[in-house]
């Protein structure tokens, strides 16, 4: 009996080793593909640097971003104030550094909420089909029909003006995009052999949905999240520009743009440098998303079973 059980245990061990080898090999292929994408690496490095600046803002910022008259009002860039000061004598560099924290935090919250909602809605619609698919996706079409910024403004007017309502409004705006991507993936997956095998073995539809369908859409979800992060920063900055997001005196890039528009000829640095910060982060997120799309291409990597 002992001689008969040993081969079984050995086979199980071999299977686990093989599975680990497949997963590690897949991860190596993804990393190798991403490493060959120079733009993706530059975008990733830029995003990491911006996140570091946002997290370490109290250490990096040379001045308190809320303190007025730390320097002469409307002073140009100098050794004392590298990016100049605004109309209240506040250091522009310090406000950009702390503005990165506020802007990125709300954009990440918005994208996180929309990715979860969109994944659940899209996976359920694509996998179940029928009236569930019709009801869910027609609702997403209604949301998708509105211009993003207009819909966010309407929601802010409905729920009130504060930074967290702004994040929720942006989350609602992006939910249909996630839902469409995940639904498309679920439609193709539900006819795959391993899904049919899971049904045959007695797996419930809910189990199959969360065990097989959603995990196999992670690649598309990651890429869409990265791309939507750039758009979320733009919309959040637009809301802040209109005074509907982060409220003063808290610094935000969009609010800094609005503050400097009356001084474009006299002190262009007030609006220029926050605008450059927005451009750099959005460009980095888009380039990194392109690199991820190539690295996670299903033609180059195996699907999770």
């Amino acid at each position: 009996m002992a001689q008969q059980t040993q081969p079984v245990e050995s086979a199980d061990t071999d299977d686990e080793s093989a599975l680990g080898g497949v997963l590690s090999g897949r991860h190596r292929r993804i990393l190798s593909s991403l490493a060959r994408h120079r733009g993706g690496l530059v975008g990733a490095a830029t995003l990491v640097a911006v996140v570091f600046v946002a997290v370490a803002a109290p250490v990096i910022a040379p001045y308190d971003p809320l303190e007025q008259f730390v320097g002469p009002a409307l002073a140009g860039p100098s050794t004392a104030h590298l990016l100049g000061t605004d109309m209240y004598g506040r250091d522009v560099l310090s406000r950009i550094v702390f503005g990165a924290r506020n802007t990125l935090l709300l954009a990440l919250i918005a994208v996180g909420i929309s990715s979860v909602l969109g994944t659940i809605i899209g996976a359920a619609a694509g996998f179940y089909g029928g009236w569930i698919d019709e009801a869910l996706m027609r609702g997403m079409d209604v949301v998708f029909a509105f211009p993003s910024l207009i819909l966010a403004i309407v929601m802010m007017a409905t729920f009130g003006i504060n930074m967290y309502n702004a994040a929720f409004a942006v989350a609602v705006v992006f939910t249909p995009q996630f839902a469409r991507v995940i639904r498309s993936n679920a439609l193709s997956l539900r006819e795959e052999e391993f899904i049919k095998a899971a049904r045959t073995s007695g797996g419930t539809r809910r189990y199959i949905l969360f065990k097989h369908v959603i995990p196999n859409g992670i690649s598309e979800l990651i890429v869409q999240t990265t791309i939507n992060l750039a758009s979320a920063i733009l919309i959040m900055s637009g809301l802040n520009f209109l005074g509907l997001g982060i409220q003063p005196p808290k610094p935000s890039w969009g609010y800094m743009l609005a503050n400097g528009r009356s001084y474009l000829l006299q002190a262009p640095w007030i609006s220029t440098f926050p605008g450059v910060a927005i451009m750099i982060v959005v460009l980095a997120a888009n380039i990194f998303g392109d690199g991820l799309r190539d690295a996670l291409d299903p033609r180059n990597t195996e699907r999770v079973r």
Side-chain angles (χ1 to χ4, degrees):
M1 295 296 293
Q3 293 179 351
Q4 293 177 355
T5 57
Q6 288 178 355
V8 175
E9 294 176 357
S10 176
D12 291 340
T13 303
D14 292 339
D15 289 341
E16 292 176 0
S17 300
L19 179 59
V22 170
L23 292 177
S24 62
R26 178 175 181 267
H27 294 161
R28 283 196 299 269
R29 286 193 295 274
I30 292 174
L31 292 176
S32 176
S33 177
L34 185 59
R36 291 194 299 269
H37 198 289
R38 295 182 180 179
L41 289 179
V42 172
T46 303
L47 289 177
V48 170
V50 173
V51 170
F52 173 77
V53 168
V55 172
V59 178
I60 296 175
Y63 301 95
D64 184 343
L66 304 182
E67 185 178 355
Q68 298 183 8
F69 302 108
V70 296
L74 301 177
S78 63
T79 54
H81 303 280
L82 295 180
L83 301 184
T85 62
D86 63 9
M87 70 291 297
Y88 300 113
R90 297 176 296 192
D91 184 66
V92 173
L93 175 60
S94 299
R95 291 181 63 78
I96 288 178
V97 170
F98 275 89
R101 167 180 287 191
N102 296 330
T103 302
L104 288 180
L105 175 62
L106 293 186
L108 287 172
I109 291 174
V111 172
I113 294 174
S114 61
S115 64
V116 172
L117 293 177
T119 297
I120 294 175
I121 293 173
F127 182 69
Y128 289 106
W131 69 268
I132 296 179
D133 183 20
E134 286 294 323
L136 291 176
M137 296 315 297
R138 294 301 75 77
M140 293 297 97
D141 288 342
V142 171
V143 176
F144 200 75
F146 288 90
S148 301
L149 186 58
I150 300 300
L151 178 59
I153 292 174
V154 170
M155 294 193 63
M156 293 296 296
T158 303
F159 295 105
I161 298 175
N162 63 63
M163 57 191 297
Y164 296 108
N165 282 346
F168 178 73
V170 176
V172 172
V173 167
F174 287 116
T175 296
Q177 298 184 22
F178 283 103
R180 286 187 170 189
V181 170
I182 299 302
R183 174 182 179 270
S184 176
N185 185 71
L187 286 174
S188 62
L189 282 175
R190 68 182 184 182
E191 301 302 327
E192 293 282 350
E193 293 298 327
F194 71 96
I195 296 293
K196 295 179 179 178
R199 288 172 176 164
T200 304
S201 62
T204 63
R205 293 200 290 182
R206 179 179 299 179
Y207 172 82
I208 295 173
L209 180 65
F210 286 96
K211 179 67 175 179
H212 297 291
V213 176
I214 291 179
N216 275 284
I218 293 298
S219 297
E220 292 83 354
L221 181 64
I222 292 174
V223 174
Q224 191 65 35
T225 298
T226 307
I227 295 174
N228 280 2
L229 177 62
S231 299
I233 292 173
L234 285 176
I235 295 180
M236 193 65 66
S237 297
L239 291 176
N240 292 331
F241 182 88
L242 298 173
L244 300 177
I246 300 172
Q247 297 299 298
K250 291 183 179 179
S252 67
W253 293 342
Y255 179 69
M256 293 177 70
L257 284 172
N259 266 352
R261 61 183 172 177
S262 300
Y263 302 90
L264 286 177
L265 296 179
Q266 184 179 0
W269 52 85
I270 299 176
S271 291
T272 299
F273 292 120
V276 170
I278 294 173
M279 181 193 70
I280 290 174
V281 174
V282 171
L283 182 61
N286 282 326
I287 293 176
F288 180 53
D290 290 339
L292 276 179
R293 183 187 292 110
D294 294 341
L296 297 173
D297 193 320
R299 292 173 297 182
N300 300 327
T301 58
E302 297 179 3
R303 290 184 175 235
V304 181
R305 290 292 191 269

